[in-house]
Amino acid sequence: MQTRPESPRPQGAPRWVAMFHRPATQTWRAAAESPHRSPVLHALGEMTQTLRARGEEVTCALWGPKDGEWHRFDTPLKQASRSQPSPQASAAEPTKLAQRMTGRRHQVLMSGLSRAGLYDLSPEDEATVQALVERLDEAAVRRVAHWLAAAGAR
């Protein structure tokens, strides 16, 4: 059983910090810092998605203040297998505009999920996002993303 490397506590006064592990050098790096939790979670989500898209393993830690002291908070990283984007369902080649609009809807949904704190998606979650992207128009996708962002702000 592989164990997760232990993240060192960030230096300085307690604030929200996202730390990422670099396997090649066996080091930890602060990727985002803020006195507020939301921007750090958003950055954590974006960085996780980027690393996974590159095919890299993601190990991260979220540190923040609790009772005036440093506290390591759990991150919902799952050991899910990496999935490749699913091919288009239709046999016809989509137009460039259709591809771009599908990409925009996907980006809007992923941003909403990230703001809600759901940044590490399982293959089932990815399939659900793709289904929403294919079935909803841009206005509906933006509304869903708004709901997710509002839920994450609470």
Side-chain angles (χ1 to χ4, degrees):
M1 179 165 105
Q2 187 177 15
T3 60
R4 182 175 152 171
E6 195 63 34
S7 166
R9 187 182 84 182
Q11 296 182 3
R15 62 201 176 282
W16 291 99
V17 178
M19 304 278 290
F20 279 86
H21 184 256
R22 293 180 156 184
T25 59
Q26 293 298 313
T27 60
W28 286 86
R29 183 184 87 123
E33 298 182 35
S34 175
H36 306 287
R37 185 176 188 198
S38 290
V40 173
L41 286 177
H42 182 73
L44 185 68
E46 294 296 317
M47 187 84 155
T48 299
Q49 289 174 19
T50 300
L51 291 172
R52 292 254 164 119
R54 291 179 186 162
E56 297 179 29
E57 288 294 321
V58 178
T59 303
C60 62
L62 177 64
W63 288 88
K66 184 175 181 181
D67 301 325
E69 299 291 326
W70 280 108
H71 179 75
R72 183 176 173 182
F73 292 86
D74 288 333
T75 56
L77 288 179
K78 299 172 190 152
Q79 298 301 324
S81 61
R82 286 181 230 112
S83 62
Q84 298 296 324
S86 61
Q88 289 287 357
S90 74
E93 184 69 24
T95 66
K96 285 197 179 265
L97 177 61
Q99 286 178 330
R100 193 168 69 224
M101 295 307 289
T102 298
R104 279 181 59 156
R105 289 192 304 271
H106 187 270
Q107 183 179 15
V108 167
L109 271 178
M110 294 304 287
S111 177
L113 287 166
S114 181
R115 287 184 180 166
L118 303 170
Y119 47 85
D120 185 40
L121 302 181
S122 69
E124 295 85 19
D125 295 332
E126 290 283 352
T128 302
V129 168
Q130 191 60 36
L132 287 171
V133 165
E134 292 171 359
R135 289 176 179 84
L136 298 177
D137 64 10
E138 190 166 349
V141 167
R142 288 192 181 281
R143 195 69 194 151
V144 170
H146 171 75
W147 293 338
L148 292 167
R154 294 183 183 175

